Amino acid sequence: EPEVTQTPSHQVTQMGQEVILRCVPISNHLYFYWYRQILGQKVEFLVSFYNNEISEKSEIFDDQFSVERPDGSNFTLKIRSTKLEDSAMYFCASRGGTSAYNEQFFGPGTRLTVL
Amino acid sequence: TQLLEQSPQFLSIQEGENLTVYCNSSSVFSSLQWYRQEPGEGPVLLVTVVTGGEVKKLKRLTFQFGDARKDSSLHITAAQPGDTGLYLCAGGGFNKFYFGSGTKLNVKP
């Protein structure tokens, strides 16, 4: 069964460092999303992406964040200068179509720890 | 920001009992999803409801979307220990989803 994969599973970094979180969406999907979940809190939408452009972003997704689809398979989230409060689980999701019934498939997440 | 409030936050019941989890908002959603999330994993979709008043059944789980498309409920009949987990509702349009804070369910054998 096709699945969304994410690497690394756990990333530890120092405050101020740049991190890149990687996702491989399901191969025939065209709509991609990043979410984060701070420990014990709700899943929060960060950004959606289609046709090499950001479709929508939340107020969390400030200038420190960027997304890219560098090739035909990867979808990345970059945080330029990490802050302590960026520590969270980051989930990538992909979706195959525009119908409300098209399921969002989530990856297993990357746990980011900023020290 | 569209907020989704889930209740209860925590629920601990005995195997065989029935339960209902609620998801409420002051905003209208074009669709609403229910997910289940296991510790250390991403959410897994259980169901999507789109039409006001829609009822969907998934084995012992019954999902209902409110007539005004602002609220939803998840009812589990004869809960089993395997139902233990975090249940999340999420609503929104196609490009953006808002998640509720979740209901942590524990079913004791």
Side-chain angles (χ1 to χ4, degrees), chain A residues 36-44 89 91 106 111, chain B residues 4-12 19 21-23 33-47 61 63 74 76 80-90 99-107:
Chain A
R36 80 172 185 191
Q37 187 175 30
I38 296 170
L39 186 64
Q41 297 187 23
K42 64 172 68 175
V43 176
E44 298 174 290
M89 282 288 285
F91 294 105
F106 282 78
R111 180 173 298 283
Chain B
L4 281 165
E5 300 289 338
Q6 281 187 246
S7 60
Q9 280 188 287
F10 302 97
L11 193 53
S12 183
L19 67 114
V21 175
Y22 299 93
C23 176
Q33 296 82 39
W34 283 93
Y35 292 83
R36 180 171 160 177
Q37 185 180 23
E38 301 298 334
E41 297 180 13
V44 176
L45 183 71
L46 296 173
V47 79
L61 278 59
F63 305 86
L74 157 59
I76 301 180
Q80 299 176 2
D83 295 328
T84 294
L86 179 66
Y87 291 83
L88 303 168
C89 65
F99 276 80
S101 52
T103 293
K104 193 170 285 189
L105 172 66
N106 180 36
V107 182

Side-chain angles (χ1 to χ4, degrees), chain B residues 2 7 15 18 23 28 37 42 50-51 53-55 63-64 67 78 85 87 90-91 93 98:
Chain B
Q2 295 174 296
S7 60
E15 181 177 1
N18 301 332
C23 176
V28 175
Q37 185 180 23
V50 175
T51 307
E54 184 174 2
V55 177
F63 305 86
Q64 184 159 9
D67 291 341
Y87 291 83
Y98 299 92

Side-chain angles (χ1 to χ4, degrees), chain A:
Chain A
E1 186 175 320
E3 58 181 13
V4 177
T5 59
Q6 290 185 242
T7 55
S9 56
H10 192 188
Q11 173 90 46
V12 181
T13 189
Q14 293 291 325
M15 190 171 58
Q17 294 296 303
E18 174 183 287
V19 294
I20 297 176
L21 310 183
R22 290 183 167 80
C23 169
V24 179
I26 293 172
S27 62
N28 61 346
H29 284 186
L30 299 174
Y31 303 88
F32 313 117
Y33 308 81
W34 281 102
Y35 295 84
R36 80 172 185 191
Q37 187 175 30
I38 296 170
L39 186 64
Q41 297 187 23
K42 64 172 68 175
V43 176
E44 298 174 290
F45 168 80
L46 292 178
V47 66
S48 57
F49 190 88
Y50 168 71
N51 199 25
N52 283 320
E53 287 184 350
I54 289 175
S55 304
E56 192 149 358
K57 58 184 180 180
S58 72
E59 52 275 9
I60 302 168
F61 194 89
D62 61 22
D63 292 344
Q64 292 299 312
F65 291 88
S66 62
V67 289
E68 194 178 28
R69 188 150 162 84
D71 53 44
S73 60
N74 290 284
F75 179 50
T76 62
L77 174 70
K78 182 193 290 187
I79 308 175
R80 288 190 184 80
S81 177
T82 50
K83 302 188 276 286
L84 295 175
E85 53 265 37
D86 293 328
S87 294
M89 282 288 285
Y90 287 81
F91 294 105
C92 170
S94 73
R95 200 169 182 182
T98 56
S99 163
Y101 292 107
N102 281 119
E103 180 178 348
Q104 258 188 113
F105 289 87
F106 282 78
T110 292
R111 180 173 298 283
L112 176 64
T113 302
V114 182
L115 303 176

